Amino acid sequence: MAEENTTPTVIADDLHIVYRVNGAKTGKGSATAALSRILKRGSGDAARGVRKVHAVRGVSFVAHRGEAIGLIGSNGSGKSTLLRAIAGLLPAESGKVYTDGQPSLLGVNAALMNDLTGERNVILGGLAMGMSREEIRERYQQIVDFSGINEKGDFITLPMRTYSSGMAARLRFSIAAAKDHDVLMIDEALATGDRKFQKRSEERIRELRKEAGTVFLVSHSNKSIRDTCDRVLWLERGELRMDGPTDEVLKEYEKFTGK
């Protein structure tokens, strides 16, 4: 873990995130359902058939510059929700998130445009990550080479709809990794690709940390967490169950899961 005198980059203070899901079952037709919603406007969530999902429950931690922090937990434990809250994409029901600098969230479902070529998506993705056109031009070949998608053909000139899910995820990671970040959050990106690409990704994360950033990594691969992170946050049912050095937390987590 980071030393006490390093700079905090993310502070979560008793953070609660609640989703509201429309679970109403009013009538068979869309017109009936719409009329029911109109009549119930101004009523409470329960009356409107809105179900609350308490996805993150009172999570508190401080992340520091230079740390790589793994997020682990069962499916639905709140890991991706927590990252989205840190990125400013989800409002807090209560509590606060403070960030020093601009957080960037990279997920395997990060939006690139399927009908555009990989080449065009590198440009658009780079602009979305805050790079200038000149920076994108300078780093373009590095991005393509890092992704490895051209190793078996000129795929970068083809529409992204022709890519496998692994190729698309590698390109997304490569675009994000081409820029230095204050706070970079990666959701399952290292689960894609062969071992060679995973090793390149892990090396790049170490470089990003040296360049004074903070990295969060969500992964179901304990090996990726061990190879990449020096600290782990373990979430279960939205609650922070353990926060500490990677080996200590993973040891307890593996006892819990029996793996």
Side-chain angles (χ1 to χ4, degrees), residues 222-237:
N222 290 355
K223 187 176 189 317
S224 289
I225 296 286
R226 277 195 171 91
D227 291 345
T228 309
C229 303
D230 46 21
R231 175 184 174 190
V232 170
L233 306 178
W234 173 13
L235 295 175
E236 285 297 336
R237 297 184 178 181

Side-chain angles (χ1 to χ4, degrees), residues 180-206:
D180 297 338
H181 299 268
D182 298 315
V183 177
L184 176 61
M185 295 169 289
I186 305 167
D187 195 348
E188 287 291 10
L190 300 189
T192 62
D194 56 20
R195 185 58 191 156
K196 183 168 67 173
F197 179 75
Q198 290 175 21
K199 284 183 70 67
R200 286 203 301 269
S201 302
E202 290 161 7
E203 288 166 5
R204 179 57 183 144
I205 288 173
R206 292 189 190 100

Side-chain angles (χ1 to χ4, degrees), residues 9-242:
T9 53
V10 177
I11 300 172
D13 181 15
D14 194 24
L15 180 65
H16 291 260
I17 303 293
V18 176
Y19 290 108
R20 285 169 174 80
V21 182
N22 188 349
K25 297 180 180 178
T26 52
K28 294 182 179 179
S30 59
T32 305
L35 178 59
S36 176
R37 286 195 293 272
I38 291 170
L39 292 174
K40 290 177 180 176
R41 275 179 188 164
S43 303
D45 285 342
R48 296 196 306 271
V50 175
R51 184 166 57 96
K52 290 184 179 181
V53 178
H54 203 155
V56 172
R57 300 169 178 266
V59 169
S60 298
F61 67 87
V62 179
H64 298 87
R65 198 166 296 281
E67 282 191 309
I69 301 173
L71 268 68
I72 61 172
S74 308
N75 287 336
S77 61
K79 304 182 297 295
S80 297
T81 297
L82 179 58
L83 290 192
R84 288 172 60 79
I86 294 170
L89 300 176
L90 288 175
E93 183 80 2
S94 64
K96 296 287 185 181
V97 176
Y98 305 92
T99 59
D100 178 27
Q102 178 61 47
S104 302
L105 174 61
L106 170 70
V108 292
N109 295 318
L112 295 181
M113 303 188 72
N114 278 334
D115 288 333
L116 297 184
T117 65
E119 182 177 22
R120 294 294 298 167
N121 272 296
V122 168
I123 296 168
L124 290 175
L127 291 171
M129 298 299 291
M131 287 188 274
S132 68
R133 289 184 178 274
E134 183 178 351
E135 287 174 320
I136 296 167
R137 281 195 296 270
E138 290 172 354
R139 303 177 192 186
Y140 172 81
Q141 196 58 47
Q142 169 194 333
I143 292 169
V144 175
D145 292 345
F146 189 97
S147 72
I149 64 172
N150 265 8
E151 290 176 355
K152 296 182 180 179
D154 192 19
F155 282 96
I156 198 68
T157 62
L158 297 178
M160 277 195 63
R161 65 173 179 270
T162 65
Y163 293 9
S164 68
S165 59
M167 290 168 63
R170 294 202 307 273
L171 185 60
R172 291 184 185 100
F173 179 86
S174 302
I175 294 167
K179 179 180 182 290
D180 297 338
H181 299 268
D182 298 315
V183 177
L184 176 61
M185 295 169 289
I186 305 167
D187 195 348
E188 287 291 10
L190 300 189
T192 62
D194 56 20
R195 185 58 191 156
K196 183 168 67 173
F197 179 75
Q198 290 175 21
K199 284 183 70 67
R200 286 203 301 269
S201 302
E202 290 161 7
E203 288 166 5
R204 179 57 183 144
I205 288 173
R206 292 189 190 100
E207 291 172 4
L208 288 167
R209 290 170 58 193
K210 290 177 185 174
E211 290 154 6
T214 303
V215 178
F216 289 86
L217 172 65
V218 170
S219 179
H220 288 292
S221 167
N222 290 355
K223 187 176 189 317
S224 289
I225 296 286
R226 277 195 171 91
D227 291 345
T228 309
C229 303
D230 46 21
R231 175 184 174 190
V232 170
L233 306 178
W234 173 13
L235 295 175
E236 285 297 336
R237 297 184 178 181
E239 296 180 349
L240 183 58
R241 183 157 181 159
M242 192 172 180

